[in-house]
Amino acid sequence: MRYLFVFITIVVFNMTIAQSNEDIINWLNNFENRNSPERIMKGTLEDKVSLDYKDGELIVNSMVYRGSSTPAMKTRTIIKVSEITQIEALKTVKDNFTTYDINICANPGAIDILIKDVNNNFKSANWANSYFEKYGYCTAEYRLKFSIDSAKEEIERVYNAFRKLSENHGINPKIGSLF
């Protein structure tokens, strides 16, 4: 009987964490939908950014606009949540608005960038490793825009969501700027 109780407790605990992770990702997606500087990629009817979560991985679906003569490149960045080392909001202020690029950094090898090929399959980007070696193991595709008056409080809410996601994986990355 005691083992059954321990087993049920572990299952319920794991289900609670999984649900919490899904809730966090849903909240971040809804928040991004309301506060994104560019909700739909220019020239398409598709959302620019959305987050998914599966098996301990944060998945950032995005599009990269490469110019007016070429279609947007669809990307998928996969980040092992348990390997995240820092989350920082990189701030830009313009015309009474504050835009934040959420920079997520992880240990080497914990981030993979996939691109959609002509057959609509995702494959590893052949340039990803050289990019990470040159610029660091970070990705900043998740963007938000707020009025200057509310930006500080709103970005704190985003930090809290990422903090909780991190805690659910037993990690405590640096939240905010190193300096």
Side-chain angles (χ1 to χ4, degrees):
M1 185 67 172
R2 180 174 166 200
Y3 293 108
L4 180 61
F5 176 74
V6 170
F7 176 74
I8 291 172
T9 303
I10 291 171
V11 169
V12 169
F13 178 74
N14 286 335
M15 288 174 55
T16 302
I17 288 177
Q19 184 62 43
S20 295
N21 294 332
E22 186 175 287
D23 287 343
I24 292 165
I25 297 305
N26 287 336
W27 184 86
L28 286 166
N29 279 327
N30 290 331
F31 197 75
E32 191 269 344
N33 286 339
R34 292 187 311 272
N35 299 292
S36 174
E38 60 273 308
R39 292 184 186 180
I40 295 179
M41 177 58 85
K42 183 177 179 182
T44 75
L45 298 176
E46 299 185 55
D47 287 337
K48 183 173 180 348
V49 177
S50 67
L51 302 176
D52 288 319
Y53 175 85
K54 183 177 180 184
D55 299 329
E57 296 178 329
L58 176 64
I59 303 162
V60 184
N61 298 298
S62 185
M63 298 173 74
V64 177
Y65 191 59
R66 299 175 291 169
S68 60
S69 63
T70 59
M73 178 175 47
K74 296 179 183 174
T75 64
R76 178 173 288 162
T77 303
I78 301 172
I79 307 164
K80 294 177 186 169
V81 176
S82 64
E83 299 286 323
I84 292 174
T85 57
Q86 180 184 6
I87 300 168
E88 177 183 11
L90 305 174
K91 177 178 168 180
T92 305
V93 178
K94 183 180 176 186
D95 299 330
N96 286 332
F97 287 97
T98 302
T99 302
Y100 291 103
D101 294 315
I102 307 301
N103 197 35
I104 302 172
C105 300
N107 292 320
I111 301 176
D112 191 16
I113 299 176
L114 309 175
I115 57 173
K116 198 172 238 186
D117 64 16
V118 293
N119 298 321
N120 285 329
N121 298 317
F122 281 98
K123 63 178 185 174
S124 287
N126 56 6
W127 46 265
N129 285 336
S130 61
Y131 171 83
F132 290 136
E133 288 172 9
K134 185 174 181 178
Y135 298 106
Y137 290 88
C138 301
T139 182
E141 298 150 313
Y142 186 76
R143 299 182 82 204
L144 301 165
K145 184 176 182 179
F146 309 106
S147 73
I148 288 177
D149 299 333
S150 66
K152 187 175 180 180
E153 295 81 21
E154 297 293 359
I155 202 60
E156 202 53 47
R157 295 174 68 196
V158 174
Y159 277 155
N160 287 338
F162 278 110
R163 188 176 286 118
K164 178 62 179 159
L165 182 67
S166 300
E167 288 172 2
N168 286 351
H169 290 82
I171 62 168
N172 187 20
K174 170 70 177 133
I175 303 288
S177 176
L178 290 178
F179 303 101

